[in-house]
Amino acid sequence: AELLEKVSRRRPDVILLCLMENENKNIEVLSDLRKIAPHVKAVVLSSPHIALDQAAALKLGVAGIVGTNQTARVLIRALRQVS
């Protein structure tokens, strides 16, 4: 709820979501995000030790997925590519 409120108020172009625990359950917030801010592009920071349902994430509008084991350079490149 806090994320949705901030996105609604600040209207960013891109957000970085770090879902870590219960990633497949927490990814559902993207459905609500798409309703209130369809223009926002989301990049998800995902743990390589958890099997994120990437197909479901992409259906929910995720613009990119970056593993927590990746370098900062990879993360920055992903954010730039979607913006």
Side-chain angles (χ1 to χ4, degrees), residues 14-20 23-24 27 30 41-71 73-82:
V14 178
I15 61 168
L16 176 63
L17 288 174
C18 182
L19 303 173
M20 306 315 278
E23 285 185 351
N24 288 314
I27 199 82
L30 290 167
K41 294 185 175 70
V43 174
V44 172
L45 192 58
S46 176
S47 171
H49 305 293
I50 298 172
L52 174 67
D53 186 345
Q54 293 182 3
L58 294 171
K59 275 186 177 179
L60 290 171
V62 170
I65 300 170
V66 177
T68 55
N69 60 338
Q70 298 296 314
T71 64
R73 182 175 292 173
V74 171
L75 177 59
I76 291 167
R77 188 173 351 141
L79 292 169
R80 285 184 178 153
Q81 284 179 342
V82 303

